[in-house]
Amino acid sequence: QQGQLVQEPLWDTFTVYKQQLANETFQKKMAARVAASGTGGTLIEYFQTFIPALEWLTQVIAERNPTHDMLKEMIKLYMANCKSTLVLNCILASFEPALVSDNALAMCELIKAADATAYPKYHLYVSLGAAMCAFPPPKETQLQIINDVWAEIAKIKSAREYTPIAAQFVRFLLKEFTFDEVRKLLRDIVKRVAPEKAYLELQPQLQRVVAHVLEECSTMADFGTVFAMEPFMKLLTYFDAETQTQNCKMVLDAFSKAQGTTADPVLVSSLMQVAKQLHDSVDSQSFDDERRQLAWLINAFVRKISFGNDYEEHLSFFVDCRASFANLDAVKDTLVLGVARLAMRVHAVVRGAHSKRTAAFAKACVAYCFITIPSIDSQILRLRLNLLCAQVALTCRLLPQMDGCIKEAIKLVPDILAADADADGAGRAAALGREESLVGLLSSLCSFL
């Protein structure tokens, strides 16, 4: 009985829509009334005001009876009455994705035949795509569904209507097909949004495309394939400055979560440009939290690059990073630690018996650290890194370099004490923390000496 209380109003609504959509006089009258309201609305916007109430009715029925029989009954009544895209979209959005996806071929036919007077048809393809992503249809029907959908989508001239559909189906192709199909779709997206710079008005939709692609990149091989796609790289250039910064964050965040490391030159070069663009967005007005977040993302990128036993190539990469990320102390800290680790890896490989070539490489690593450390603002961090580099230099039997690092560390002590002596108020608590760190570092220094 409770079900009837919801079903009967819904069936009545179907009948009302049938009458309204078939009555041209009513449509003209409502269009004139909307125009006279001065809100700049349209007849479609008038019909869309009914969506919340209609969705509530369909959702209640779908939740109380989430079966194929109920979906079939609702579609039967829909076909017998209004055949409106507005009603069909509410049905697609209300039932479980599994039910919609299992009947995806039939839904494609229903969408083709639907009357789009009250609601744009592209919304239905977005809803269908969302259901297929949540619960993929059987493998044997997927290709036919894609072909049916794309035969209709190809007729859409508006980039504004095409892009939301493409963004949804990119995700489906990534889940169920190969990167070859994804490449074709990305190429079509780039072709559609390029004329008259339509992409400038479609930033959120295009950003969803990028996000969907990155979500499916779980390995370094996936990243290598994606960043070798010319249409994907072209798409990344279609964003304004603010959105590009957000995209760079998404790229590096997804890369940091991918499994393994990489030395792919194309991928390394592309991600270096992404990281540099993110670094260049930092200025004197950037908040500390923002700087920390960006430094974390760039550090994650740096740590994911590995050239195996090609230590010289890895050192060259660190040199490029130092030139590109000069404004973030946290990144320079990671670079110094990375180069010091590189020197120790070589030392372990030769088991302490350095040849002329490996000794020269270790000397180059210590020189990199010695040059980089003074550019760091934090005096405590500089002292800590100088002490570390002195230990590396001694391990590699580079005594002059060790002396230089120790002298630089000692020179920093009076500067730190002088700065802390002038601190007052809130700065005094930070000064006490630095003094505690300084005591620990001086103890390590004395032990080392």
Side-chain angles (χ1 to χ4, degrees):
Q1 184 178 2
Q2 291 178 351
Q4 289 296 113
L5 294 176
V6 177
Q7 290 180 24
E8 290 180 2
L10 182 61
W11 310 153
D12 290 344
T13 302
F14 286 2
T15 303
V16 170
Y17 275 125
K18 178 181 179 181
Q19 295 171 350
Q20 291 183 345
L21 293 172
N23 192 330
E24 293 185 5
T25 303
F26 168 80
Q27 293 182 34
K28 291 179 180 179
K29 181 179 179 181
M30 291 310 305
R33 183 175 298 178
V34 170
S37 67
T39 60
T42 63
L43 184 61
I44 287 179
E45 291 175 350
Y46 162 75
F47 278 108
Q48 287 179 355
T49 60
F50 293 94
I51 290 178
L54 184 59
E55 279 186 342
W56 184 84
L57 292 171
T58 55
Q59 285 172 4
V60 169
I61 292 175
E63 288 176 4
R64 291 183 58 82
N65 193 357
T67 63
H68 278 280
D69 291 339
M70 177 51 69
L71 176 61
K72 187 175 180 180
E73 181 182 354
M74 192 174 291
I75 292 296
K76 183 178 179 181
L77 289 166
Y78 156 82
M79 291 291 293
N81 288 283
C82 56
K83 291 187 179 181
S84 169
T85 50
L86 182 69
V87 175
L88 183 55
N89 190 65
C90 290
I91 295 173
L92 291 176
S94 298
F95 279 88
E96 289 291 330
L99 292 176
V100 175
S101 188
D102 285 343
N103 297 277
L105 281 173
M107 294 300 176
C108 288
E109 296 302 319
L110 289 174
I111 294 173
K112 290 179 188 177
D115 180 358
T117 303
Y119 198 62
K121 190 175 288 188
Y122 76 91
H123 287 295
L124 280 70
Y125 286 111
V126 174
S127 298
L128 178 61
M132 290 167 59
C133 287
F135 192 92
K139 283 285 184 182
E140 60 272 15
T141 65
Q142 289 179 1
L143 184 59
Q144 184 179 351
I145 294 169
I146 290 295
N147 289 336
D148 284 357
V149 170
W150 234 252
E152 294 300 309
I153 293 175
K155 302 174 185 177
I156 298 177
K157 302 299 182 182
S158 169
R160 182 181 294 276
E161 295 184 1
Y162 167 85
T163 308
I165 306 172
Q168 191 63 60
F169 275 88
V170 159
R171 188 181 176 198
F172 178 70
L173 292 180
L174 284 163
K175 287 178 176 292
E176 301 299 323
F177 289 80
T178 67
F179 280 114
D180 289 335
E181 287 77 14
V182 175
R183 182 184 291 106
K184 293 176 183 177
L185 179 52
L186 290 176
R187 187 179 296 118
D188 195 42
I189 292 173
V190 170
K191 181 181 177 182
R192 292 290 195 109
V193 301
E196 300 180 0
K197 296 184 177 181
Y199 53 82
L200 294 176
E201 298 180 357
L202 300 170
Q203 300 284 290
Q205 294 90 333
L206 295 178
Q207 193 172 30
R208 280 197 291 274
V209 173
V210 174
H212 290 329
V213 173
L214 294 175
E215 284 172 5
E216 299 302 320
C217 291
S218 58
T219 66
M220 290 300 166
D222 293 340
F223 264 96
T225 302
V226 166
F227 277 82
M229 291 183 186
E230 185 273 335
F232 181 76
M233 300 306 293
K234 183 71 173 177
L235 184 62
L236 289 178
T237 67
Y238 282 175
F239 294 93
D240 56 37
E242 182 179 354
T243 311
Q244 277 187 342
T245 300
Q246 296 172 3
N247 286 345
C248 290
K249 290 180 181 178
M250 282 197 306
V251 169
L252 292 189
D253 184 55
F255 184 71
S256 70
K257 297 174 182 175
Q259 299 175 4
T261 59
T262 185
D264 182 348
V266 175
L267 181 58
V268 172
S269 176
S270 299
L271 290 175
M272 177 67 85
Q273 292 301 317
V274 171
K276 189 175 188 309
Q277 187 171 355
L278 202 56
H279 167 271
D280 292 345
S281 67
V282 176
D283 54 31
S284 59
Q285 296 181 339
S286 298
F287 293 108
D288 289 342
D289 285 345
E290 177 75 4
R291 298 173 74 91
R292 279 193 291 269
Q293 181 188 17
L294 299 188
W296 186 91
L297 291 171
I298 295 173
N299 283 339
F301 155 67
V302 171
R303 295 187 183 108
K304 284 285 187 177
I305 306 302
S306 175
F307 295 90
N309 293 331
D310 192 346
Y311 304 113
E312 293 179 349
E313 183 65 24
H314 207 153
L315 180 59
S316 177
F317 168 73
F318 281 128
V319 171
D320 292 340
C321 288
R322 182 176 61 186
S324 300
F325 312 129
N327 294 331
L328 294 172
D329 279 2
V331 177
K332 287 183 281 189
D333 178 29
T334 297
L335 296 178
V336 171
L337 293 175
V339 173
R341 187 179 301 111
L342 206 57
M344 294 306 297
R345 284 175 60 193
V346 172
H347 180 77
V349 169
V350 300
R351 298 182 179 180
H354 281 279
S355 65
K356 185 176 180 179
R357 181 182 178 186
T358 58
F361 179 80
K363 188 182 294 184
C365 288
V366 175
Y368 175 100
C369 297
F370 189 78
I371 294 171
T372 306
I373 291 171
S375 65
I376 297 175
D377 291 333
S378 172
Q379 294 172 324
I380 284 287
L381 182 56
R382 277 153 53 191
L383 196 157
R384 181 181 291 113
L385 292 176
N386 272 309
L387 179 57
L388 173 68
C389 291
Q391 294 168 344
V392 172
L394 181 61
T395 303
C396 297
R397 301 179 184 177
L398 302 172
L399 301 184
Q401 287 78 9
M402 179 205 69
D403 285 344
C405 292
I406 289 295
K407 289 177 181 178
E408 289 300 316
I410 293 173
K411 288 178 183 178
L412 287 167
V413 175
D415 294 337
I416 296 172
L417 293 173
D420 289 346
D422 296 335
D424 56 359
R428 186 57 188 163
L432 291 173
R434 283 194 296 271
E435 287 180 8
E436 185 176 347
S437 298
L438 181 59
V439 170
L441 291 172
L442 290 178
S443 297
S444 298
L445 175 59
C446 293
S447 176
F448 172 69
L449 291 175

